[in-house]
Amino acid sequence: MPRRRSDPALPFRPFAEDAGVQTLAGFSIENGTQRIALHGSLDLTRDRAGLERARTLKSLFEAIVATLETEDLPDSIPDEPETAEPVRNPFA
């Protein structure tokens, strides 16, 4: 089960693990070693709360870009196929 992090002060190390999730209101950023997935919706309102959410989002994306800039990257990585194996029904 993914670890849920909702405190923006917690460190988010991009591409460091396959289990971390940074949550910001209704928006989540799922960490992975090969890709980072973005899910949900986030309203950036024209108030102090919106400014804080925008700053948090900016720092998360800056960390992602900084990590990518330090690596020798391939042109692209292949899409990951679903690798879930069928589970035997214990009630059958």
Side-chain angles (χ1 to χ4, degrees):
M1 180 171 190
R3 187 170 57 232
R4 298 274 175 203
R5 293 190 225 174
S6 57
D7 182 352
L10 292 175
F12 181 79
R13 295 182 27 236
F15 305 104
E17 60 182 336
D18 281 325
V21 176
Q22 178 73 41
T23 310
L24 182 60
F27 190 69
S28 28
I29 302 166
E30 293 183 21
N31 207 5
T33 56
Q34 295 298 309
R35 60 183 36 90
I36 294 175
L38 309 174
H39 302 281
S41 176
L42 176 65
D43 290 332
L44 299 177
T45 51
R46 196 172 186 174
D47 56 13
R48 292 182 193 271
L51 175 60
E52 188 58 35
R53 285 189 295 269
R55 285 181 175 155
T56 301
L57 192 59
K58 179 184 175 193
S59 69
L60 289 168
F61 278 104
E62 285 175 342
I64 293 167
V65 170
T67 300
L68 290 170
E69 288 177 338
T70 64
E71 299 177 5
D72 182 23
L73 300 170
D75 290 335
S76 66
I77 61 172
D79 288 334
E80 292 182 27
E82 291 292 324
T83 58
E85 296 189 21
V87 176
R88 188 180 145 272
N89 184 347
F91 302 107

